[in-house]
Amino acid sequence: MEQERGLPGSSLSPRSPFSQPYLSVSVTDPVKLGNGVQAYISYRVITKTNFPEYQGPEKIVIRRYSDFVWLHARLFEKYKGIFIPSLPEKNAVEKFRFSAEFIEMRRQALDIFVNRIASHQELQQSEDLRTFLQAEEETMERLRSHDSGIFKKKPADLMQIFKDVQSKVSDIVLGKEKPVEESNPEYEKLKHYIFELENHLTEAQKHAYRLVKRHRELGQALLDFGKAAKLLGACEEKAAHQLLMNFEEPLKDYVRTVQSIKATIAERANAFRQQCELAETTKLKEINLDKLMLMRSDKAAEAEMEYKELKAASEEATRRFETIVALMNQETIRFQEQKTLDMGLAFHEFAKGQARLASGVADAWRSLLPKLEALSVS
């Protein structure tokens, strides 16, 4: 599918003047490479775009799961307040990790992940996304090694000034001091909604898992029963696969998405605490500076410089927190709208699958009935 965005000052792309700007990404052709614990799956990532900042209209690169993890980590670090699309979990169990079904589910989930980024108005402009979609394998390997799988933060210029603040935050984390929490009715409502949604989605996903399992067990039992029931068993196994891909997997994807939102909520809480702690420390520095100036102390000049630097840091922390709040408000609206569409599609596919299953089972029973009648007569 094509993802579109507008370019500043024009609705058309400089590269393709007769078409709307687009960025389309496909994750295809999973291939197992290596053996044993070193084995992994590689994917062809195909990008088609007319964005001027990209190298050309089409680019094909080879990526592995850890490259997607790298991209997720970079975006999460740089785009505070935005709900970063979730990644499928990593399966460490060998026999499931390389099964055809798991590989296909992983491929679909990674395709959804990167296309959600490509369609997001802010994230699609990321330099890290461009690197992920265009860089050669050697470059990606070097970037992964440099980051060690986790985005490395640059040392803060005001680390010395922040040490008192960081100490207080550490005390909060360790439970030595009551944490500073944001008291905002809309924010509390959002947190309650997200946690409740996670519970409901988790429960729904468990029911979907049990339903898939029941169809598979029934299908296997019918296959074991004999050749006459083979058609029925095939119907149940097909139904189980369709339920897995079109119902259980979308539910699992949204459970992961909610967990990503919770991570953003945690970042907002951290930003709020830092804002409060810096504001408090700035106030203390101001009081100390006033005392030194009244005393005409030699340390007044140094204290004034520290106060100005800390005040600037405090104002920056306030701006950062306000930016996160504004972005989260936009993201929440976008998420709720997308959730309604995605869940509607998932339940629609579930209903269609159940209808097909009912029809297939009815046909299978009709073909089996003469054989059962013949057995009863004999």
Side-chain angles (χ1 to χ4, degrees):
M1 61 179 175
E2 291 188 352
Q3 310 296 346
E4 297 184 355
R5 73 161 186 178
L7 295 175
S10 173
S11 61
L12 300 176
S13 167
R15 174 167 297 177
S16 187
F18 300 107
S19 64
Q20 289 292 327
Y22 68 90
L23 176 60
S24 173
V25 186
S26 300
V27 178
T28 66
D29 303 327
V31 175
K32 180 183 176 184
L33 299 174
N35 297 299
V37 295
Q38 300 298 323
Y40 64 93
I41 304 295
S42 72
Y43 306 87
R44 276 161 50 97
V45 178
I46 305 171
T47 303
K48 296 181 180 180
T49 184
N50 57 4
F51 285 5
E53 59 266 37
Y54 278 73
Q55 296 171 0
E58 180 173 301
K59 179 72 174 181
I60 300 176
V61 296
I62 304 299
R63 294 291 178 259
R64 54 190 296 182
Y65 180 76
S66 55
D67 294 321
F68 290 86
V69 173
W70 174 87
L71 176 61
H72 183 277
R74 300 282 292 196
L75 295 177
F76 182 77
E77 181 62 32
K78 291 184 177 182
Y79 290 87
K80 302 300 184 184
I82 290 178
F83 301 157
I84 305 302
S86 57
L87 277 170
E89 61 275 5
K90 186 170 184 177
N91 195 329
V93 181
E94 184 80 15
K95 65 178 181 178
F96 298 121
R97 187 158 64 110
F98 297 117
S99 68
E101 187 172 74
F102 175 78
I103 290 173
E104 175 57 18
M105 287 191 300
R106 167 65 62 79
R107 184 202 65 76
Q108 287 190 20
L110 293 176
D111 188 274
I112 290 171
F113 164 75
V114 73
N115 272 287
R116 282 177 176 165
I117 295 170
S119 65
H120 193 285
Q121 190 174 6
E122 294 290 331
L123 299 180
Q124 68 179 198
Q125 301 174 42
S126 165
E127 291 183 10
D128 294 312
L129 176 62
R130 291 200 294 274
T131 298
F132 174 84
L133 295 176
Q134 297 184 117
E136 299 303 321
E137 291 177 68
E138 295 79 7
T139 302
M140 284 304 305
E141 185 176 359
R142 185 167 63 251
L143 289 169
R144 288 199 318 269
S145 300
H146 178 263
D147 289 351
S148 300
I150 301 174
F151 186 82
K152 291 185 177 180
K153 298 180 182 179
K154 294 181 180 179
D157 295 332
L158 300 175
M159 187 62 72
Q160 185 64 34
I161 298 176
F162 290 166
K163 66 179 181 179
D164 293 335
V165 177
Q166 291 172 331
S167 176
K168 290 183 179 180
V169 172
S170 297
D171 288 343
I172 291 171
V173 173
L174 295 173
K176 297 178 182 178
E177 185 175 332
K178 186 176 179 180
V180 178
E181 294 185 355
E182 183 181 352
S183 57
N184 180 308
E186 287 300 317
Y187 177 54
E188 291 300 323
K189 185 178 178 181
L190 171 63
K191 287 199 297 182
H192 178 75
Y193 165 73
I194 291 300
F195 279 84
E196 284 295 306
L197 179 61
E198 181 182 37
N199 292 335
H200 292 316
L201 286 172
T202 301
E203 191 62 29
Q205 191 265 317
K206 287 178 182 178
H207 285 301
Y209 170 78
R210 287 194 286 268
L211 187 58
V212 171
K213 184 179 179 183
R214 183 181 71 80
H215 277 293
R216 282 196 165 145
E217 289 174 345
L218 179 57
Q220 188 59 49
L222 287 168
L223 288 171
D224 293 341
F225 177 70
K227 294 182 179 179
K230 185 175 181 179
L231 188 57
L232 277 171
C235 284
E236 293 291 346
E237 177 56 34
K238 184 178 179 181
H241 181 74
Q242 289 176 340
L243 278 171
L244 175 65
M245 303 305 293
N246 298 323
F247 190 59
E248 184 186 357
E249 275 301 303
L251 288 173
K252 286 174 65 178
D253 174 58
Y254 259 84
V255 170
R256 293 192 295 263
T257 299
V258 169
Q259 291 169 351
S260 293
I261 295 173
K262 288 171 64 179
T264 304
I265 289 174
E267 288 296 312
R268 172 172 171 164
N270 288 335
F272 179 76
R273 290 179 191 131
Q274 187 178 58
Q275 174 200 24
C276 292
E277 296 292 345
L278 280 168
E280 180 184 347
T281 307
T282 301
K283 186 64 177 177
L284 293 174
K285 286 284 185 182
E286 183 180 16
I287 293 171
N288 183 57
L289 174 61
D290 289 342
K291 290 180 179 178
L292 291 174
M293 293 184 71
L294 286 171
M295 297 168 58
R296 301 183 183 276
S297 172
D298 295 339
K299 296 181 180 180
E302 182 181 350
E304 184 177 13
M305 184 179 297
E306 287 184 358
Y307 167 71
K308 288 180 178 179
E309 290 177 342
L310 191 57
K311 185 179 180 182
S314 178
E315 291 170 350
E316 175 60 28
T318 299
R319 285 192 294 270
R320 186 164 58 248
F321 171 70
E322 291 173 349
T323 298
I324 290 176
V325 171
L327 285 172
M328 280 190 67
N329 290 339
Q330 297 172 12
E331 290 287 285
T332 301
I333 294 171
R334 189 180 64 85
F335 167 74
Q336 290 174 329
E337 292 174 349
Q338 190 63 46
K339 177 179 67 69
T340 300
L341 292 173
D342 290 345
M343 289 296 101
L345 179 61
F347 279 98
H348 180 64
E349 289 297 322
F350 172 72
K352 288 200 304 184
Q354 291 300 99
R356 285 193 297 266
L357 171 63
S359 177
V361 168
D363 291 340
W365 275 115
R366 275 192 289 270
S367 67
L368 182 61
L369 190 57
K371 299 176 183 178
L372 293 174
E373 290 174 344
L375 285 174
S376 62
V377 171
S378 62

